[in-house]
Amino acid sequence: MKLPVVHGVIDRRMLVNYRVDAGVLAKLLPTPFEPKLHRGMGLVGICLIRLRNIRPSWLPSWLGIGSENAAHRAAVVWQAGNERREGVYVQRRDTNSRLNTLLGGRLFPGFHHHARFDVEETTERYSLKMTSDDGVTNLAVRGHIAPALPSGSVFTSLDEASRFFAAGSLGYSPTPDGKTFQGLELRCDGWHVEPLAVEEVRSSVFDDPTIFQPGSITFDHALLMRNIQHAWHEQEDLCCVPQTAAAVAAI
């Protein structure tokens, strides 16, 4: 069954990005995905997104729902026939919406796990903590609006980082059968990011030395998006690709 196009507003989206050894990341990704590299480094991260007015395109906005969501993901490339594609591989999605966990992958695109989100924010400062109900994932991010990226970032400018992540609008995530990946494309009415200076960041995934050995991964930078009209479009699945045990346990 083809899923409906879902419209809404990105109220707030934080992209918390890490640079990672390309060889380490390659071993964690299931076929057919490969790391998308920037200056020889792989990029992984957490997308922390608050949505509002989310509904199928045929419903009015006032009937839409809102939710806090987190996705652990990696920038990837893959071969589709004769075409080289790029986007993100999303290993796991967490949400505070019971509706998303119930209907995700069925009426709404993407399978979700339920989690608790604790959020405090102003127009300049942001603090978010998340703990999943199943205890598998937890994270915390705290920071404030900044004039530029950190000096040690793998990206030399905000524009360079913006272009890299804007190209990752197509995401694939595993389905419960472990053999197919469900495709989902984010289309934004405008793309604008701001640097976010991070004072604290932790992730049960990216801090786990059994997944990323010490020295192989480093926090790079964070970006912020606010108040953007958008739509989610289902894309054709990638199918019949068994995941490795390492990939299932990792990003």
Side-chain angles (χ1 to χ4, degrees):
M1 181 181 71
K2 185 172 179 59
L3 301 178
V5 175
V6 176
H7 287 263
V9 177
I10 296 174
D11 201 31
R12 179 262 298 133
R13 186 188 193 198
M14 287 187 282
L15 300 178
V16 182
N17 301 308
Y18 296 71
R19 59 185 183 271
V20 59
D21 180 272
V24 170
L25 180 57
K27 294 176 182 179
L28 296 173
L29 293 172
T31 305
F33 303 111
E34 303 171 20
K36 177 185 175 182
L37 303 182
H38 188 75
R39 295 193 169 89
M41 300 297 295
L43 274 297
V44 299
I46 315 163
C47 174
L48 299 167
I49 187 168
R50 181 170 63 234
L51 303 172
R52 56 182 169 89
N53 300 337
I54 299 299
R55 78 282 180 193
S57 56
W58 41 268
L59 281 179
S61 61
W62 61 272
L63 285 177
I65 63 172
S67 61
E68 287 280 0
N69 307 273
H72 282 80
R73 60 192 210 152
V76 295
V77 294
W78 67 95
Q79 196 71 26
N82 295 323
E83 185 180 4
R84 192 73 163 168
R85 305 294 302 276
E86 64 178 283
V88 292
Y89 171 65
V90 181
Q91 173 57 38
R92 179 175 169 114
R93 289 185 171 93
D94 292 278
T95 180
N96 70 349
S97 169
R98 294 287 183 185
L99 189 63
N100 285 359
T101 59
L102 178 64
L103 299 180
R106 299 168 180 88
L107 180 59
F108 296 114
F111 293 87
H112 295 73
H113 302 266
H114 191 264
R116 175 182 174 179
F117 288 73
D118 296 308
V119 181
E120 297 179 8
E121 64 183 60
T122 67
T123 57
E124 297 293 323
R125 302 192 62 85
Y126 296 83
S127 176
L128 186 149
K129 296 179 181 179
M130 186 212 79
T131 303
S132 65
D133 291 0
D134 60 12
V136 172
T137 54
N138 63 81
L139 60 88
V141 179
R142 177 167 49 86
H144 58 274
I145 299 295
L149 298 181
S151 58
S153 173
V154 71
F155 297 94
T156 59
S157 69
L158 177 62
D159 180 65
E160 187 178 70
S162 177
R163 285 186 279 108
F164 181 92
F165 291 104
S169 60
L170 176 57
Y172 278 95
S173 56
T175 55
D177 66 11
K179 298 179 181 179
T180 60
F181 302 100
Q182 187 178 56
L184 184 62
E185 183 182 9
L186 172 62
R187 299 180 188 176
C188 296
D189 292 344
W191 174 274
H192 176 71
V193 297
E194 303 170 82
L196 192 69
V198 170
E199 302 157 9
E200 175 193 9
V201 59
R202 54 182 173 84
S203 161
S204 58
V205 175
F206 300 136
D207 297 339
D208 188 342
T210 67
I211 301 174
F212 297 96
Q213 56 262 43
S216 68
I217 187 169
T218 304
F219 169 74
D220 192 85
H221 72 280
L223 302 172
L224 178 69
M225 303 174 68
R226 295 185 279 191
N227 196 34
I228 295 177
Q229 295 282 340
H230 73 288
W232 301 97
H233 291 254
E234 182 188 21
Q235 300 296 309
E236 184 176 355
D237 287 358
L238 295 177
C239 67
C240 307
V241 184
Q243 296 188 77
T244 65
V248 170
I251 54 172

